[in-house]
Amino acid sequence: MDNRKLKDYTFISLKGMAMGIAELVPGVSGGTIAFVTGIYEEFITSINNVNLTTLKVLKEEGFKKFWEKLNGNFLLALAIGMMISILTLSKAIAWLLEEHTIVTWAFFFGLVLASVIFVAKSIKRWNVLAIVLFIIGTVSAFYITTLPPSTSSGSLPYIFLSGAVAICAMVMPGISGAFILVLMGSFKTVLGALNEKDFGILITFIFGIIFGILSFARVLKWMFTNYKDATLAILTGFILGSLNKIWPWKYIIEVIKIGKKEIVVDENISPFAFQGDNQLTFAIVAAVIGFSLIFILEKSASKK
């Protein structure tokens, strides 16, 4: 946007920080935050600008025109915000999830629940197709959250596929990319490659991410342009179904250790069946705060 000022890009970076925080929490998608803060469609459109036509502009008209065509200032501000969160808040989020598990999950549960209402409100016409797609999205996301972690072969084609699928999950409101990596059994392989500096696996994974985000963004852009209500309906269902993953009260079935990391296999239970202090009052307060935050973000976005 040509008329944006430094203050506007500062707000975009803050929204990027919120997306980064969401991606640090297994089960919460940065795409959900992007939608609520009013930048989702611009985000998808900007990703779609990464193509051969835009590269041709760089060659023929220079970097300035290329950067404008790319909507580079927007993407850069967003990326800076996300990186700030990931680099500075990852330990804080991990500490909260470890030391104040129930209250932290309750906050995110309230936040995502409000996101369902927010996205649903964006649908202009709730017809039979929209309802069916909403149900399909809900059931699909719920089913995905119940799948146990799998073990992959670690082959390069599978790592490429894992990167592509995980980044699609990040872009789509609902389930996080990190959770998809766990389900596909590639979390251990990618984590090990990072620790051991296995550039063959890392480069393959990165190419999968690039392929996934560029191809999936085009599909989403086409869907938003031609079938916006239907697309919003299935995304609403996806966000609703993902609530199963972030229910605050769980019974731990198994803990899988991967190096220094632990993957917990659990099931949801009633707060009244929870062994120990269920922290119900604090959890309700945290959920209300998270729920309210979405509508504060909504009002903030509507002013821009």
Side-chain angles (χ1 to χ4, degrees), residues 82-93:
M82 292 183 71
M83 289 306 299
I84 288 173
S85 285
I86 292 170
L87 294 175
T88 63
L89 299 177
S90 58
K91 290 184 178 180
I93 295 296

Side-chain angles (χ1 to χ4, degrees), residues 30-41 118-119 122 173 224 232 235:
T32 302
I33 303 300
F35 200 101
V36 171
T37 55
I39 60 172
Y40 188 74
E41 289 193 59
F118 175 84
V119 179
S122 303
F224 266 103
L232 289 173
L235 292 181

Side-chain angles (χ1 to χ4, degrees), residues 71-87:
N71 199 10
N73 288 341
F74 169 82
L75 288 176
L76 180 61
L78 200 64
I80 288 173
M82 292 183 71
M83 289 306 299
I84 288 173
S85 285
I86 292 170
L87 294 175

Side-chain angles (χ1 to χ4, degrees), residues 19 22-23 27-36 40 43-44 47 112 119 133 136-138 140-141 144 164-178 180 212-213 216-217 219-221 223-224 230-240 242:
M19 289 176 65
E23 285 300 326
V28 182
S29 172
T32 302
I33 303 300
F35 200 101
V36 171
Y40 188 74
F43 175 53
I44 297 300
I47 293 172
V112 175
V119 179
L133 290 174
I136 291 173
T138 302
S140 299
I144 290 172
V165 175
I167 198 64
C168 291
M170 174 190 162
V171 172
M172 181 186 294
I175 301 171
S176 71
I180 294 298
I213 198 168
F216 189 63
V219 173
L220 274 179
K221 177 63 177 176
M223 289 173 66
F224 266 103
T231 303
L232 289 173
I234 198 166
L235 292 181
T236 303
F238 236 87
I239 300 171
L240 179 62
S242 72

